[in-house]
């Protein structure tokens, strides 16, 4: 009996040595945060450094733009005055080109939203025959690089007499944005309970009333996300805008910015200033609707 009692502490000590020690919870949390910081800080710097140089050029005089200083000795807003006042021959149509970009971007967002919403409602809620097949065929177009579609799109717009008009670029961007927009909205629509539709139909709602009173309010986050996605896609477009538009007053601002690079002595400070101005609206839109962007796109990304 005494031998058994004496052997118990030894067995307990051996078991404690054999079992791995668990780190405190706070230590594990600190280790996880440290790993995230090791990844996040380089990514943040990689993102902010180009933006910093953009701002640096925008507030620097021409002679100090390439000085290599971390901050200009005499910062100035004269570059903004030149851009807004169109006082350089590369900027003689700045306001017209900015308006073209705004008009095309918002028209693309509105048309894409209209087409994608109606298509997703028809496929998901009304169960239109062949709708899923059409959606899958539309998604198949993304296997073709956009650059390969540029020449066919150019010939198509020329055949219909739309070249060198804003409608050419609007229709091209709607064509590119719609398949993805339909897919995202359809996936988000599939998550809505069918009981809501059945209850509305039992109350005598028509398909149009079901769409307007039930479907649209519930789909609002996804609709905002898709509208902004299409808007920003058109806002940043260069290739199709370069091919389909001509004439200085008809160009969008991204294409017009390319003219700066054609000169032997490019005014880089004005190029960066214009680029900074052009980058502010989408940044403001994304910041204002960021929770809808994240919630809306993830709602259609994974099907429950």
């Amino acid at each position: 009996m005494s031998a058994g009692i004496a052997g118990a502490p030894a067995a307990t000590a051996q078991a404690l040595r054999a079992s791995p020690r668990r780190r405190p919870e706070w230590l594990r949390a600190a280790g996880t945060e440290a790993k995230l910081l090791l990844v996040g800080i380089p990514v943040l710097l990689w993102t902010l450094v180009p933006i910093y140089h953009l701002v640096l050029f925008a507030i620097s005089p021409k002679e100090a733009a390439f000085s290599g200083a971390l901050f200009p000795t005499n910062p100035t807003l004269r570059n903004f005055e030149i851009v807004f006042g169109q006082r350089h021959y590369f900027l003689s149509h700045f306001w017209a080109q900015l308006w073209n970009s705004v008009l095309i971007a918002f028209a693309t967002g509105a048309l894409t939203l209209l087409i994608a919403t109606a298509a997703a409602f028809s496929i998901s809620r009304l169960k239109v025959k062949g709708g899923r097949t059409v959606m899958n065929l539309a998604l198949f177009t993304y296997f073709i690089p956009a650059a390969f579609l540029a020449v066919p799109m150019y010939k198509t717009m020329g055949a219909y007499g739309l070249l060198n008009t804003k409608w050419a670029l609007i229709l091209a961007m709607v064509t590119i944005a719609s398949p993805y927009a339909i897919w995202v909205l359809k996936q988000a629509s599939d998550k809505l309970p069918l009981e809501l539709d059945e209850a509305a139909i039992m109350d005598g709602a028509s398909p149009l009333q079901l769409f307007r009173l039930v479907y649209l309010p519930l789909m609002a986050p996804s609709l905002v996300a898709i509208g902004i996605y299409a808007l920003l896609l058109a806002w940043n477009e260069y290739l199709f805008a370069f091919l389909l538009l001509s004439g200085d007053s008809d160009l969008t601002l991204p294409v017009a910015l390319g003219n700066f690079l054609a000169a032997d002595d490019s005014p880089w400070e004005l190029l960066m200033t214009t680029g900074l101005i052009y980058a502010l609206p989408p940044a403001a839109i994304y910041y204002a609707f960021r929770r809808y962007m994240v919630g809306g796109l993830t709602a259609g990304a994974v099907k429950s």
Side-chain angles (χ1 to χ4, degrees), residues 1 41 66 113 131 183 226 295:
M1 185 71 176
I41 290 176
F66 290 96
L113 202 55
W183 180 78
I226 286 301

Side-chain angles (χ1 to χ4, degrees), residues 110-179:
L111 281 177
T112 301
L113 202 55
L114 178 64
I115 294 170
T117 306
F121 178 74
S122 301
I123 296 169
S124 177
R125 314 309 287 185
L126 300 182
K127 308 295 183 184
V128 173
K129 187 177 180 180
R132 292 175 183 269
T133 303
V134 172
M135 183 186 69
N136 291 331
L137 288 175
L139 283 173
F140 182 75
T141 60
Y142 283 123
F143 285 97
I144 306 173
F148 290 178
L149 299 175
V151 174
M153 192 73 73
Y154 180 87
K155 296 193 70 174
T156 301
M157 296 301 173
Y160 286 98
L162 294 174
L163 276 180
N164 306 325
T165 67
K166 297 179 181 65
W167 276 111
L169 185 55
I170 291 170
L171 294 176
M173 298 313 302
V174 169
T175 301
I176 294 172
S178 291

Side-chain angles (χ1 to χ4, degrees), residues 101-245:
S101 296
V102 171
L103 180 62
I104 290 170
F106 277 91
T108 299
L111 281 177
T112 301
L113 202 55
L114 178 64
I115 294 170
T117 306
F121 178 74
S122 301
I123 296 169
S124 177
R125 314 309 287 185
L126 300 182
K127 308 295 183 184
V128 173
K129 187 177 180 180
R132 292 175 183 269
T133 303
V134 172
M135 183 186 69
N136 291 331
L137 288 175
L139 283 173
F140 182 75
T141 60
Y142 283 123
F143 285 97
I144 306 173
F148 290 178
L149 299 175
V151 174
M153 192 73 73
Y154 180 87
K155 296 193 70 174
T156 301
M157 296 301 173
Y160 286 98
L162 294 174
L163 276 180
N164 306 325
T165 67
K166 297 179 181 65
W167 276 111
L169 185 55
I170 291 170
L171 294 176
M173 298 313 302
V174 169
T175 301
I176 294 172
S178 291
Y180 175 73
I182 294 171
W183 180 78
V184 170
L185 292 182
K186 188 265 178 189
Q187 300 289 31
S189 179
D190 285 345
K191 293 183 175 184
L192 301 180
L194 288 174
E195 290 79 9
L196 296 174
D197 296 9
E198 295 169 356
I201 293 172
M202 289 181 64
D203 290 339
S206 65
L208 186 58
Q209 289 174 323
L210 179 64
F211 176 77
R212 183 169 57 89
L213 301 176
V214 177
Y215 183 77
L216 289 182
L218 293 175
M219 289 286 291
S222 294
L223 296 179
V224 172
I226 286 301
I228 294 175
Y229 156 76
L231 186 152
L232 295 182
L233 186 69
W235 183 265
N236 295 317
E237 178 57 32
Y238 181 87
L239 175 61
F240 285 95
F242 177 78
L243 287 175
L244 300 176
L245 301 176

